[in-house]
Amino acid sequence: MSTDHRGARARMMFALAGLSLGVGLTACSAGATTATNVEAPSAADVDPAAAALLPESYRSSGVIKVASDIPYPPMEMFDENQQLTGLDYDLAQAMGAKLGVRLELQTQAFDSIIPSLQSGKNDIIMSGMNDTAERQKTLDFVDYFHAGFSILVPAGNPKNITTVLDLCDKDVAVQKATVQAEILHGYDQQCIGRGSSPIRVSELPLETDVQTAVRSGKADADVVDSAAAAYAAQTAGDGKIFDLVNDPAYPAGYNPVHTGIGVLKKDAELSKALQAALQSIIDDGNYETILAKYDLSAYAVKEAGLNVGAAKP
């Protein structure tokens, strides 16, 4: 089974992290938003080999439009000055510098993020999207992250959840349009074999909705990507609202999978340029510096892969 995260980040307060949307943004068509803190690339930062792979249309425009379901800390979020930050944002800026263009993140609901590429509204996806066999039917993935999913519970862990099978016969919330619900239903027979009922899964529009359900007692747990779970446990209410379930048998989370930059199959040359740019920041150490900034070094990849998420082990 594979894991996935995230959802439609709307213009609402990200209350759990104390971060709000809307400030420091400029309105775009169709209600989207674009960060204003995107710096123009410096010629000194360009990797000539990577830049040479970039299709002429992007070199001419100087911009690659990035669909991103904002906010989803620590992948995409806003700082205390309401400026966009996060792993995906920082990687986008570093890769854009290598290519000599701007990678501009634009808000796009996760359940419409692939159609936004197909319609030409956006060029690529950087939104913590997992590289799966099903998605590879439509997209190519430049893989930059490798992590599993984790379980987030109320502080004090009142239901004493220590493993994924402890979720049997419990109410678990996940975000709509992710594959977490499918993953959890995959444990149905194991739950029954233990003499218990299957996990009761509810799908909610936003990850913030999921966390609110756990806080209010409407759900016993949230199942979400490990990076997002760890961030919420560390930051929500100064670390006093949630606990992260630490299963010693799965220290990096359950079912680890690759996360990648999504690019339409027809734009294979763009994928190659992005792969070269990612490899360039891996080689010069900037990639590791960015991951360390968000305490995500444990999920680093050794090299920029293409469609490795669904590869046979």
Side-chain angles (χ1 to χ4, degrees):
M1 291 181 292
S2 62
T3 183
D4 203 347
H5 78 223
R6 173 188 113 218
R9 320 359 166 152
R11 293 156 187 73
M12 61 174 286
M13 178 161 297
F14 187 71
L16 301 179
L19 302 172
S20 62
L21 303 181
V23 182
L25 300 177
T26 55
C28 297
S29 61
T33 55
T34 302
T36 60
N37 58 324
V38 178
E39 297 183 2
S42 167
D45 296 325
V46 172
D47 181 323
L53 296 173
L54 192 65
E56 177 58 33
S57 60
Y58 298 105
R59 280 186 274 172
S60 297
S61 68
V63 177
I64 297 174
K65 294 178 291 183
V66 184
S68 191
D69 189 15
I70 303 166
Y72 191 79
M75 309 303 282
E76 304 92 22
M77 55 188 175
F78 293 91
D79 64 18
E80 63 275 10
N81 298 314
Q82 309 310 319
Q83 295 295 317
L84 190 58
T85 185
L87 177 67
D88 285 339
Y89 173 80
D90 285 4
L91 288 177
Q93 303 320 300
M95 292 171 63
K98 294 294 186 182
L99 295 171
V101 298
R102 301 190 313 277
L103 268 65
E104 293 184 351
L105 271 67
Q106 303 189 52
T107 299
Q108 184 68 46
F110 194 70
D111 57 5
S112 61
I113 207 164
I114 294 177
S116 81
L117 267 60
Q118 294 168 323
S119 69
K121 178 182 177 183
N122 294 302
D123 302 313
I124 65 174
I125 297 167
M126 288 189 73
S127 195
M129 177 174 275
N130 294 157
D131 176 359
T132 67
E134 182 64 26
R135 287 185 178 137
Q136 282 187 23
K137 295 176 182 178
T138 305
L139 303 173
D140 285 325
F141 285 91
V142 177
D143 295 304
Y144 63 91
F145 197 69
H146 188 248
F149 75 83
S150 294
I151 303 168
L152 201 62
V153 297
N157 196 1
K159 295 297 180 73
N160 193 31
I161 296 168
T162 59
T163 74
V164 68
L165 289 178
D166 289 332
L167 298 176
C168 297
D169 199 26
K170 291 184 174 62
D171 296 301
V172 178
V174 300
Q175 189 172 9
K176 185 179 180 181
T178 69
V179 299
Q180 309 292 25
E182 178 186 348
I183 290 169
L184 292 175
H185 286 308
Y187 290 99
D188 285 356
Q189 292 305 312
Q190 292 183 64
C191 290
I192 293 170
R194 288 161 52 104
S196 184
S197 299
I199 302 166
R200 294 185 295 274
V201 182
S202 59
E203 297 184 64
L204 302 177
L206 306 173
E207 174 58 23
T208 48
D209 298 332
V210 174
Q211 293 180 15
T212 297
V214 176
R215 292 182 67 181
S216 66
K218 293 181 179 179
D220 298 315
D222 171 11
V223 169
V224 66
D225 280 3
S226 295
Y231 185 86
Q234 293 166 4
T235 62
D238 292 327
K240 298 177 181 178
I241 293 177
F242 298 115
D243 283 347
L244 186 66
V245 173
N246 293 310
D247 186 339
Y250 300 92
Y254 298 94
N255 304 98
V257 297
H258 284 83
T259 293
I261 302 166
V263 187
L264 291 176
K265 292 284 187 182
K266 69 179 181 65
D267 295 325
E269 296 305 312
L270 177 57
S271 295
K272 292 177 183 177
L274 292 167
Q275 184 182 12
L278 176 59
Q279 188 62 53
S280 185
I281 65 171
I282 290 173
D283 292 343
D284 70 14
N286 199 14
Y287 170 78
E288 177 53 38
T289 298
I290 293 170
L291 264 67
K293 175 181 175 181
Y294 299 103
D295 198 23
L296 297 174
S297 297
Y299 309 122
V301 297
K302 295 181 179 180
E303 60 183 12
L306 185 65
N307 294 329
V308 298
K312 299 290 184 182

